[in-house]
Amino acid sequence: MTTLHEPELLLGAEQPVEQGEHREPGGFYRWVTSVDHKVIGKNYMYTALVFFFIAGLMAELMRTQLFNPNGHVVSLQTYNALVTIHGSIMLYLFAGPIAFAGFANYLVPIMIGAPDMAFPRLNSLSYWFYLFGGTTMLFGFLTASGAAAFGWTGYTPLSTATYSPGPGADLWIASVAMVGFSGIFSAVNLVTTIFYLRAPGMTMFRMPLFVWSMLITGILILIAFPVLTAALVMLYADRHFGAHFFTVSGGGVPVMWQNLFWFFGHPEVYILALPFFGMISEVVPVFSRKPIFGYKGMVFATLAIAGLSTGVWAHHMFTTGTVLLPFFSALSLLIAVPTGIKVFTWIATMWGGQVKFNTSMLFAVGFIAAFVMGGITGVMLASPPIDFYTHDTYFVVAHFHQVLIGTTVFAMLAGFYYWYPKFTGRLLHEGIGKAHFWISFIGFWITYMPQYLLGLRGMPRWVGVYSPNFTFLNRVSTVGAYVLGIGMAMLIVNLYWSWRHPVPAGDNPWDGHTLEWATSSPPPAHNFHSLPPVRSTRPVWDMNHPEHSDAVPVVTGGDESAE
Ligand code: HEM
Ligand SMILES: [Cu+2]
């Protein structure tokens, strides 16, 4: 088996080169028919970005309404619908899909040296479930009674037929269920791919941390999403078939929805975060010109976060009076340990490295700053006395936006600027990129820091009007949101620029470490013409810098790949 590591017997030598050259149809036809993981991955990424900008416009509209204490930009019913659809799009249609089905689809097979995903047709089906499920949610706005208006969490009894009678709510249920199925299909596909399609030499503990994140996220999806699907079916049965799971009159328990929802909802928070942690774990070492500090520590920290995340759901329900406060508080606080390990690992990786602050790295560092701030306020919220005081106030809105924008926007953009050359063969503009970063980063703090104060002073969330005492801080926050919006528009400017003025990127513009940098940009249909030997976590670095390689020497007689 040791011969697997000899360069002469690489996959590339076994696979005829022509295989990589077969012709695919072009244009629209290719977009709809392809089962190539790279095309599907790009479809996911660009669709998710469109959803992101739609939800971002809704956010700007809400902040415009909140500029005045008695705003008349939208009706209060519409405000509720905007909150709901903004939050639902951001979480179900943008943050999850862009990472787990966009980046992961494109990158995981290449990073482990596989020619495609394990189930290419299932992969395509996932995308169509996602696209049609996602647009179903938006159609709510076209119905007479408007879109769902009960928050992304769909709490009963508000979401029952009595209080949300219109079809908007049903469309929301159908949409979330379809997108949930799409996520489950992607998870099955990714987990199988990672377990079975790794190239020779790519042992589990040589996989890039991004791949580890995706594996663990996939397992979390398989644990969490079916519970959500079941809860949605129960809610639908309550609304239309006279069931009484969540209605008191028929012997049901409304708060059961919260238990079911958050049993999905809290792992979902990590389903959203872990993939982006994985991206940062790729970007930071490359731009620090060092291997990651503590690779195995990172793997175990990711496993610990995932494990703990299934046991903390009731920290969203402290104020219901139905949950054991010390237990859920203690478990929630414990998550800070593996999360702290990650933050220290990224910092230790930069420490003493030759750090290069280009756009991608700026977003990575911006992510760390935002995430630490949002994480610290999260630790505060995990303590019941503080949560009783701040629950359902703007303090919570500030907390989750700092965590979420930190991860799903800043870390995502770190990854986007890093891998865009691989996806397209073209570079993004560094100047526009830096403007993109700085304007967004400044806008981010102006938007959310005042919201902590508003929350501490008692401003509730989910309101389109508020007491005039809160006017000043709300205005600051709204101005910040405009700045953040302008910052994000720079992404469109940059994409347009790179389309109009293509600057060829080359195969490995950043001196990358992992296998995707060993193939062309963009990669051929079957990903590789030849694979470098995989003898460490950094096969491409080993190949390009043999003098500083961390590859293990080829041992004869043992079976290394069985690790
Ligand atoms: C330009 C950036 C953004 C701004 C200005 C913004 C603004 C807002 C506003 C005004 C609300 C309503 C608060 C309330 O009345 O309770 C809200 C809710 C929410 N936002 Fe954002 N947001 C932004 C980005 C994001 C991102 C990137 C995510 C997630 C990835 C996100 C997730 C949510 C969620 C989950 C809710 C709660 C929805 C609910 O309660 O049902 N937001 N946002
Ligand atoms: Cu939680």
Side-chain angles (χ1 to χ4, degrees):
M1 282 301 278
T2 47
T3 46
L4 281 179
H5 302 292
E6 297 299 342
E8 310 82 70
L9 278 184
L10 296 175
L11 257 194
E14 292 161 9
Q15 289 184 346
V17 171
E18 304 78 70
Q19 212 183 340
E21 304 297 347
H22 89 217
R23 293 244 162 260
E24 285 238 2
F28 181 74
Y29 190 66
R30 171 171 142 99
W31 179 73
V32 280
T33 57
S34 179
V35 293
D36 179 338
H37 70 105
K38 297 183 290 300
V39 177
I40 297 173
K42 273 192 177 175
N43 286 347
Y44 260 114
M45 275 187 266
Y46 289 121
T47 312
L49 281 176
V50 170
F51 279 128
F52 171 71
F53 281 104
I54 293 175
L57 288 176
M58 292 179 183
E60 300 296 345
L61 195 55
M62 286 189 284
R63 279 309 328 164
T64 308
Q65 161 84 7
L66 296 174
F67 190 78
N68 288 316
N70 247 317
H72 293 291
V73 178
V74 292
S75 70
L76 294 183
Q77 176 66 21
T78 306
Y79 185 89
N80 288 345
L82 285 174
V83 176
T84 305
I85 305 301
H86 159 80
S88 301
I89 292 184
M90 285 295 191
L91 298 187
Y92 298 120
L93 307 184
F94 159 66
I98 198 169
F100 188 71
F103 283 85
N105 237 317
Y106 199 107
L107 292 167
V108 164
I110 305 182
M111 283 178 144
I112 60 176
D116 203 323
M117 295 281 271
F119 309 114
R121 279 163 203 277
L122 182 67
N123 203 10
S124 168
L125 185 69
S126 317
Y127 175 74
W128 297 109
F129 263 66
Y130 163 64
L131 183 67
F132 286 109
T135 38
T136 300
M137 188 185 292
L138 288 175
F139 281 131
F141 283 110
L142 302 181
T143 64
S145 48
F150 39 59
W152 84 280
T153 51
Y155 275 11
T156 53
L158 188 56
S159 55
T160 58
T162 318
Y163 300 102
S164 300
D170 296 319
L171 290 172
W172 181 88
I173 294 175
S175 161
V176 176
M178 273 197 268
V179 174
F181 273 118
S182 142
I184 293 172
F185 297 160
S186 297
V188 169
N189 216 338
L190 266 176
V191 170
T192 315
T193 306
I194 295 171
F195 276 135
Y196 291 108
L197 294 188
R198 277 171 290 126
M202 181 60 74
T203 62
M204 290 299 275
F205 279 105
R206 285 180 192 161
M207 294 193 315
L209 286 171
F210 178 78
V211 177
W212 267 109
S213 308
M214 291 303 168
L215 174 63
I216 295 167
T217 308
I219 294 170
L220 262 186
I221 287 182
L222 294 178
I223 294 171
F225 268 80
V227 179
L228 174 69
T229 312
L232 290 169
V233 171
M234 290 157 86
L235 180 60
Y236 196 85
D238 268 19
R239 290 173 59 85
H240 293 288
F241 308 142
H244 293 284
F245 292 108
F246 307 114
T247 40
V248 180
S249 56
V253 187
V255 85
M256 185 166 74
W257 168 268
Q258 292 193 33
N259 276 301
L260 291 172
F261 182 84
W262 287 114
F263 187 81
F264 147 79
H266 191 85
E268 165 74 353
V269 172
Y270 288 96
I271 290 168
L272 299 181
L274 292 178
F276 298 102
F277 292 173
M279 290 182 196
I280 296 300
S281 301
E282 300 302 324
V283 168
V284 166
V286 168
F287 293 123
S288 306
R289 289 184 73 83
K290 278 173 66 185
I292 189 101
F293 174 93
Y295 170 92
K296 283 197 178 166
M298 282 301 240
V299 173
F300 290 116
T302 312
L303 280 168
I305 291 175
L308 284 169
S309 80
T310 60
V312 299
W313 74 91
H315 62 209
H316 298 273
M317 302 169 57
F318 285 152
T319 57
T320 60
T322 59
V323 300
L324 193 59
L325 302 182
F327 175 81
F328 286 104
S329 173
L331 272 193
S332 307
L333 293 172
L334 265 183
I335 293 197
V337 177
T339 312
I341 291 179
K342 283 186 175 271
V343 171
F344 285 118
T345 301
W346 293 316
I347 295 175
T349 305
M350 282 186 262
W351 200 270
Q354 299 163 30
V355 184
K356 190 167 170 232
F357 283 107
N358 56 13
T359 307
S360 172
M361 189 65 173
L362 281 175
F363 272 113
V365 176
F367 148 77
I368 296 177
F371 184 74
V372 165
M373 186 68 203
I376 288 173
T377 52
V379 174
M380 290 163 74
L381 287 168
S383 148
I386 298 181
D387 184 70
F388 272 76
Y389 187 72
T390 52
H391 186 64
D392 278 352
T393 69
Y394 257 83
F395 191 87
V396 175
V397 177
H399 150 71
F400 73 69
H401 277 98
Q402 292 208 315
V403 183
L404 282 169
I405 296 187
T407 47
T408 70
V409 181
F410 292 161
M412 181 275 286
L413 287 167
F416 192 79
Y417 275 86
Y418 178 66
W419 281 301
Y420 182 85
K422 184 52 60 183
F423 300 154
T424 60
R426 295 193 300 267
L427 288 172
L428 284 166
H429 192 278
E430 269 299 309
I432 304 175
K434 286 192 170 131
H436 178 188
F437 170 75
W438 283 111
I439 300 174
S440 313
F441 193 65
I442 292 167
F444 167 82
W445 295 102
I446 305 177
T447 311
Y448 293 106
M449 292 318 278
Q451 294 186 5
Y452 285 118
L453 287 177
L454 284 169
L456 290 176
R457 292 181 190 171
M459 177 166 161
R461 60 189 284 210
W462 293 306
V463 289
V465 288
Y466 53 85
S467 149
N469 300 337
F470 300 133
T471 309
F472 175 70
L473 287 173
N474 268 297
R475 289 193 170 165
V476 176
S477 181
T478 297
V479 170
Y482 294 154
V483 177
L484 182 51
I486 293 169
M488 285 302 149
M490 304 300 272
L491 177 62
I492 300 176
V493 176
N494 214 343
L495 288 173
Y496 179 78
W497 181 87
S498 102
W499 175 56
R500 298 302 302 202
H501 307 276
V503 179
D507 295 345
N508 187 5
W510 319 119
D511 198 1
H513 299 172
T514 39
L515 283 184
E516 75 275 26
W517 303 111
T519 183
S520 60
S521 306
H526 289 273
N527 293 346
F528 292 97
H529 292 308
S530 71
L531 269 173
V534 183
R535 298 211 193 95
S536 81
T537 58
R538 302 197 293 169
V540 175
W541 172 273
D542 298 339
M543 181 176 69
N544 293 339
H545 302 272
E547 69 296 355
H548 295 126
S549 131
D550 31 44
V552 295
V554 184
V555 205
T556 39
D559 182 356
E560 273 183 275
S561 60
E563 192 178 315

